[in-house]
Amino acid sequence: MGPRAKAVCSLFILLQVLAEPAENSDFYLPGDYLLGGLFTLHANVKGTVHLSFLQVPQCKKYEMKVLGYNLMQAMRFAVEEINNRSDLLPGVLLGYEIVDVCYISNNVQPVLYFLAREDYSLPIQEDYSHYVPRVLAVIGPDNSESTTTVAHFLSLFLLPQITYSAISDDLRDKQRFPALLRTVAGADHQIEAMVQLLLHFNWNWIIVLVSSDDYGRYNSQLLNDRLATRDICIAFQETLPMPQPNQVVTEWERQRLEAIVGKLQQSSARVVVLFSPDLILHNFFREVLRQNFTGAVWIASESWAIDPVLHNLTELRQTGTFLGVTTQSVPIPGFSEFRIRRTPVRLPEPNRTSLEATCNQECDTCQDTTASFNSILTLSGERVVYNVYSAVYAVAHALHSLLGCTQACSKDVVYPWQLLKEIWKVNFTLLGHNVFFDKQGDVLMPMEVIQWQWDLSQNPFQSIASYYPKLRQLKAIHNISWHTANNTIPVSMCSKDCHPGQRKKPVGIHSCCFECIDCLPGTFLNRTADEFDCQPCPSYEWSHRNDTSCFKRRLAFLEWHEPSTIFVVVLTILGFLSTLAIMVIFWRHLHTPVVRSAGGPMCFLMLVPLLLAYAMVPMYIGQPTFFSCLWRQTFFTLCFTICISCITVRSFQIVCIFKMARRLPRAYGYWVRCHGPYVFVASFMVLKVVIVAGNVLATTANPTARPDPDDPNIMVLSCNYRRALLFNTSLDLLLSVAGFSFAYMGKELPTNYNEAKFITLCMTFYFTSSVSLCTFMSVYDGVLVTILDLLVTVLNLLGISFGYFGPKCYMVLFYPERNTQVYFSSMIQGYTMGKD
């Protein structure tokens, strides 16, 4: 394994020119193996930084960056602690050269200095497998933009680089950055923690402010991509202007900041997510304070979540609640004392020129500034400090393995690529935490959501929740002190959430802005499926207004206990008993003239189906089944057809006897010899069987459920033979019209044979009731249809029983003198003489 060979010559000529001696190290410690440290110690340089040579100005020309200096001290502390141990690298001393990268303006010069040899040369070689640079590993820088620049150089030599706070997920690409590792979770986890925090408090209407550098652009894009699949909308997004190196606010920057804060004032969103390095935010928050913008929830990215300088602006407490995402706090014993400890002045090494002596090693301004912030740094816990601390220890453990340090370490030459291979393998416990690199080169330390506190006796960055990268889950949100009246949770929603059973009607382009519309009866809202449309209930279910689910409709059918059913049943029993009595009377007086004139034996062909039809009335009552519907559709209509055909043929036969026998004697004789009445009835029975069989095959006999038009909560269960009803009754209607016509033709017959009035009444009632029922069933679907169907059927049966047979029984029972052959002969003789 070795670094990339056959590099482009022009590139390395450039490297060789740039890698000239310079006052490069701000802090230096000699040792057997040197570590390179890249830290942002000074955010703003009040002077000129020359890119050809790094000219380090004196301390008084800098504005001290407290966090950068704190992290640098963590590296020094870790190195000294390792050197004082006898078990980790016995007989071997670690050294360091620490360089200030001044945020992003000084990246190339230090990395070339680290890659050069002791004589400041960087030779052009085909194979760098045995090349030994000034340092064996580099810790830092702190931001993704600088880390990317440095990593492009170090990866050419496979020189290990461990960054402690660069979170860009692009750095996971090991094809581009094979030598880069991180002791911090990536930006993806920071964004996920923020999104889960927003979802927890139902903040779906937010503002995003970003810096104009790669950090702001990358993280804002990552947030936008993540929110695209969540119910969270961005009211607006603005880019903060980059300040001048001397922090003097220009007119353009002032106008820009005024406009941004003005938009914050006018927006209904009260949650502001801010991705920016800390140095850009000072002027912004001063403008926020100037315009007296309050009541917001500020969610800080890791770049400024625990910045003590911004926290020192105590007036910020008036602007709202400050939350932030940062790494977990891990206390490091002894570090707080080391941070402010004054080190005796170190004389230059014999092999180093006076130009290489550092000024910042004993910078009184640096020491004094750090001491002034020592309290807040101690109370806040060592968060990013532990990342630097563990990075140094990772290099030490890799050296321990590479040098075979059991009782003593070998003093072999260590090449960068060998050390990189061992760093990938490290797995050790440091202050209770397991440190190892995953396949992307990250140490997945837990993260925390913190809240800014301004009580001097408390932790200024109070932990309120924990985020676990391995689980991708935010847990244990607690102890938040909201800067609101009555400590209520701030609301940041474009539209308040709809009540259950209300759909969202979008307003504008944002899905979070909507009106709430009630779901109508018969529809419901399933939020998991669609929040913007009400879904219709299935046909057998129903819902009330604003329902979130449907309920089964109550099945309705003709039941025994209903008053209408009881009334019809009473009529049915009356008709059945009356028909049975008529049958007995006719049986006892079968050979009398009255019974013979009514049809004789054919009367029983009518009475038996009538009795069966009465007996099948219970088929209409109760819950319909396949068999009950089948009987109603077939057997019941056949019984009724027999009765109608018998009445029709009887009317026809009487007319034939008195009016056609003399005119067509041969036809009449043929009619009598062939038992014409029975043939007529049988023929129509066969025709009716064919019609009924066709209807059964064409339609189903299974009962169907239809919504009740009067009460949608009810589902009417009835037999599905409506379309077949017209075909089934068509033949009966035709017979009734024929029977009516024959009866009307016989209106002048003798009184004993004149049945026109009774047959006309029966046939007219049957015709009108059947047509009315079919019409009503075509326009109405309620339970009333079943009730009327049964009532019309029973009344038609009663019409035949009492309308046709009633007068005959009355004559037999109350006028026996007229039920004689002599009386009937006299009536026929009188009719004949009258016709003559």
Side-chain angles (χ1 to χ4, degrees):
M1 176 180 177
R4 301 175 184 178
K6 298 182 180 179
V8 180
C9 293
S10 60
L11 173 62
F12 284 99
I13 292 172
L14 176 63
L15 295 183
Q16 190 171 19
V17 170
L18 291 177
E20 296 181 4
E23 294 179 4
N24 208 45
S25 301
D26 293 319
F27 290 85
Y28 172 77
L29 177 69
D32 298 305
Y33 301 100
L34 286 182
L35 301 181
L38 298 175
F39 295 91
T40 302
L41 303 179
H42 305 93
N44 297 308
V45 181
K46 294 185 177 178
T48 303
V49 177
H50 301 281
L51 296 182
S52 59
F53 301 99
L54 179 65
Q55 303 294 338
V56 180
Q58 298 298 317
C59 296
K60 61 182 181 180
K61 296 184 180 180
Y62 286 83
E63 286 188 5
M64 179 66 189
K65 181 171 172 60
V66 178
L67 276 183
Y69 186 80
N70 193 44
L71 299 177
M72 181 273 300
Q73 290 288 64
M75 179 175 175
R76 293 181 61 205
F77 176 76
V79 171
E80 291 193 20
E81 190 176 73
I82 292 169
N83 288 339
N84 291 331
R85 291 177 56 173
S86 60
D87 59 332
L88 190 55
L89 294 174
V92 172
L93 289 178
L94 287 181
Y96 56 76
E97 292 204 44
I98 299 176
V99 178
D100 182 5
V101 295
C102 298
Y103 181 48
I104 59 174
S105 61
N106 184 36
N107 296 313
V108 176
Q109 193 84 9
V111 71
L112 295 178
Y113 175 72
F114 289 155
L115 289 172
R117 290 175 170 174
E118 290 295 332
D119 59 357
Y120 307 107
S121 65
L122 187 56
I124 300 173
Q125 298 179 191
E126 183 177 359
D127 185 3
Y128 287 92
S129 298
H130 297 87
Y131 178 74
V132 180
R134 179 180 298 274
V135 298
L136 284 181
V138 173
I139 309 299
D142 59 347
N143 60 80
S144 299
E145 193 169 349
S146 297
T147 300
T148 302
T149 302
V150 172
H152 279 300
F153 287 97
L154 299 183
S155 294
L156 293 172
F157 296 83
L158 292 181
L159 193 148
Q161 176 189 3
I162 305 179
T163 178
Y164 44 85
S165 62
I167 64 172
S168 173
D169 288 333
D170 289 341
L171 302 177
R172 291 180 176 179
D173 187 355
K174 297 310 165 190
Q175 295 295 324
R176 296 171 57 196
F177 310 112
L180 177 63
L181 302 100
R182 300 188 295 186
T183 55
V184 64
D188 174 66
H189 295 291
Q190 174 188 231
I191 298 299
E192 182 63 25
M194 287 183 174
V195 171
Q196 291 189 27
L197 182 67
L198 295 171
L199 292 174
H200 178 81
F201 292 110
N202 295 320
W203 294 329
N204 65 357
W205 189 234
I206 66 172
I207 299 168
V208 178
L209 301 181
V210 302
S211 56
S212 58
D213 57 1
D214 290 343
Y215 178 83
R217 288 189 294 268
Y218 176 79
N219 283 279
S220 63
Q221 184 59 48
L222 198 62
L223 179 64
N224 277 272
D225 294 342
R226 189 64 52 85
L227 296 185
T229 59
R230 308 292 181 97
D231 191 19
I232 300 175
C233 302
I234 298 177
F236 66 88
Q237 178 174 318
E238 287 290 344
T239 302
L240 298 175
M242 185 69 71
Q244 298 298 312
N246 57 7
Q247 287 288 327
V248 175
V249 181
T250 63
E251 182 62 23
W252 176 84
E253 184 183 355
R254 183 185 61 80
Q255 294 177 359
R256 187 83 182 96
L257 291 175
E258 284 182 359
I260 293 173
V261 178
K263 290 186 70 173
L264 293 178
Q265 295 273 26
Q266 297 173 4
S267 176
S268 60
R270 279 297 173 263
V271 174
V272 183
V273 181
L274 221 166
F275 295 105
S276 173
D278 54 342
L279 66 91
I280 298 178
L281 300 178
H282 293 83
N283 292 335
F284 168 73
F285 278 116
R286 290 191 186 98
E287 182 63 27
V288 169
L289 292 172
R290 191 187 70 81
Q291 294 195 27
N292 195 27
F293 176 63
T294 59
V297 176
W298 304 90
I299 299 181
S301 62
E302 48 77 37
S303 59
W304 66 280
I306 55 171
D307 184 70
V309 179
L310 279 174
H311 183 274
N312 202 38
L313 293 173
T314 56
E315 296 86 353
L316 289 179
R317 72 177 71 186
Q318 303 171 6
T319 66
T321 305
F322 282 76
L323 306 177
V325 179
T326 185
T327 56
Q328 187 182 42
S329 174
V330 181
I332 302 176
F335 176 65
S336 296
E337 296 78 10
F338 177 87
R339 178 169 46 221
I340 58 175
R341 187 184 71 188
R342 293 187 180 272
T343 307
V345 177
R346 182 186 302 275
L347 296 176
E349 297 296 316
N351 60 341
R352 290 174 68 92
T353 66
S354 60
L355 290 175
E356 296 169 292
T358 61
C359 72
N360 290 345
Q361 188 82 19
E362 294 302 325
C363 176
D364 293 335
T365 304
C366 301
Q367 296 277 359
D368 296 339
T369 304
T370 307
S372 66
F373 284 96
N374 188 57
S375 177
I376 189 174
L377 291 172
T378 303
L379 288 173
S380 64
E382 312 303 345
R383 298 181 182 277
V384 185
V385 166
Y386 180 80
N387 295 349
V388 177
Y389 185 74
S390 60
V392 177
Y393 265 90
V395 175
H397 278 270
L399 280 172
H400 175 88
S401 176
L402 184 61
L403 299 177
C405 300
T406 52
Q407 295 181 350
C409 301
S410 66
K411 296 297 181 70
D412 296 338
V413 176
V414 176
Y415 299 107
W417 63 268
Q418 293 177 319
L419 182 61
L420 176 63
K421 186 176 181 181
E422 294 300 323
I423 292 178
W424 276 98
K425 299 178 183 178
V426 297
N427 192 333
F428 59 95
T429 301
L430 185 63
L431 299 180
H433 294 273
N434 194 25
V435 178
F436 67 94
F437 296 96
D438 63 12
K439 60 182 180 180
Q440 278 85 30
D442 296 341
V443 175
L444 295 181
M445 284 288 293
M447 305 174 71
E448 289 182 346
V449 179
I450 53 94
Q451 180 184 11
W452 285 17
Q453 303 286 353
W454 279 274
D455 187 346
L456 297 179
S457 62
Q458 294 183 354
N459 184 347
F461 307 112
Q462 181 72 42
S463 175
I464 61 169
S466 297
Y467 175 81
Y468 300 92
K470 292 180 181 179
L471 302 176
R472 299 185 66 82
Q473 189 172 6
L474 189 68
K475 292 185 177 181
I477 301 177
H478 61 285
N479 298 333
I480 303 180
S481 300
W482 302 106
H483 292 272
T484 57
N486 301 322
N487 196 35
T488 56
I489 299 175
V491 176
S492 186
M493 304 174 70
C494 182
S495 301
K496 290 186 177 180
D497 199 11
C498 293
H499 295 294
Q502 290 183 324
R503 68 179 180 88
K504 297 178 180 179
K505 180 182 178 181
V507 177
I509 61 174
H510 296 289
S511 61
C512 301
C513 301
F514 49 81
E515 294 178 359
C516 295
I517 307 297
D518 293 342
C519 283
L520 299 176
T523 64
F524 71 101
L525 185 69
N526 183 0
R527 288 192 175 185
T528 57
D530 187 1
E531 290 186 322
F532 297 93
D533 288 303
C534 301
Q535 293 80 40
C537 292
S539 59
Y540 54 87
E541 293 183 350
W542 190 249
S543 67
H544 299 301
R545 195 179 192 89
N546 291 355
D547 271 356
T548 57
S549 62
C550 300
F551 56 85
K552 288 187 177 181
R553 304 188 200 220
R554 182 175 63 85
L555 290 178
F557 44 84
L558 204 56
E559 299 188 61
W560 288 95
H561 63 272
E562 296 179 3
S564 57
T565 305
I566 295 174
F567 174 73
V568 174
V569 169
V570 170
L571 292 180
T572 302
I573 294 174
L574 177 63
F576 181 83
L577 295 178
S578 300
T579 304
L580 188 62
I582 291 171
M583 181 178 289
V584 173
I585 293 172
F586 271 48
W587 179 261
R588 294 188 61 183
H589 301 82
L590 179 61
H591 300 291
T592 61
V594 173
V595 176
R596 292 177 62 188
S597 67
M602 186 171 284
C603 292
F604 295 98
L605 185 60
M606 297 170 61
L607 290 171
V608 171
L610 276 176
L611 287 175
L612 293 176
Y614 281 121
M616 284 189 295
V617 166
M619 293 291 180
Y620 280 84
I621 305 170
Q623 183 171 343
T625 63
F626 172 81
F627 293 103
S628 64
C629 292
L630 185 63
W631 278 83
R632 285 162 61 178
Q633 189 176 349
T634 57
F635 193 75
F636 186 87
T637 186
L638 289 175
C639 292
F640 207 84
T641 301
I642 293 175
C643 295
I644 298 296
S645 61
C646 288
I647 292 175
T648 302
V649 74
R650 182 59 187 163
S651 300
F652 173 74
Q653 190 170 4
I654 292 175
V655 172
C656 287
I657 292 174
F658 286 95
K659 292 193 174 185
M660 299 181 62
R662 290 182 300 174
R663 300 176 185 178
L664 300 171
R666 295 181 60 184
Y668 179 74
Y670 184 77
W671 171 267
V672 173
R673 286 193 305 272
C674 295
H675 304 285
Y678 296 101
V679 173
F680 180 88
V681 173
S683 300
F684 275 90
M685 275 297 299
V686 172
L687 182 60
K688 187 58 177 284
V689 169
V690 172
I691 294 175
V692 170
N695 286 331
V696 170
L697 294 176
T699 61
T700 177
N702 290 315
T704 58
R706 294 183 178 86
D708 192 325
D710 299 325
D711 187 357
N713 295 325
I714 297 175
M715 185 69 80
V716 179
L717 190 63
S718 60
C719 294
N720 185 28
Y721 60 84
R722 297 188 178 198
R723 286 180 290 181
L725 181 64
L726 182 62
F727 295 99
N728 282 345
T729 57
S730 58
L731 184 61
D732 297 339
L733 292 175
L734 180 64
L735 289 173
S736 66
V737 172
F740 171 80
S741 302
F742 292 137
Y744 183 81
M745 292 170 61
K747 63 181 180 178
E748 298 177 355
L749 295 178
T751 305
N752 290 352
Y753 291 93
N754 188 352
E755 300 172 347
K757 292 185 293 184
F758 309 114
I759 294 177
T760 299
L761 175 65
C762 295
M763 296 299 100
T764 302
F765 180 78
Y766 173 74
F767 182 85
T768 55
S769 63
S770 297
V771 172
S772 301
L773 180 62
C774 290
T775 304
F776 185 74
M777 292 177 70
S778 66
V779 297
Y780 187 77
D781 290 329
V783 184
L784 187 59
V785 170
T786 305
I787 299 174
L788 289 179
D789 186 15
L790 177 59
L791 181 61
V792 167
T793 300
V794 172
L795 290 178
N796 283 324
L797 294 176
L798 291 174
I800 297 175
S801 297
F802 291 102
Y804 184 77
F805 292 103
K808 308 296 182 182
C809 292
Y810 180 78
M811 184 71 69
V812 171
L813 295 176
F814 296 102
Y815 294 96
E817 66 276 8
R818 298 180 182 181
N819 191 17
T820 61
Q821 189 66 37
V822 176
Y823 179 79
F824 268 73
S825 298
S826 63
M827 295 299 296
I828 295 174
Q829 185 177 5
Y831 170 78
T832 305
M833 293 177 63
K835 295 293 289 183
D836 294 338

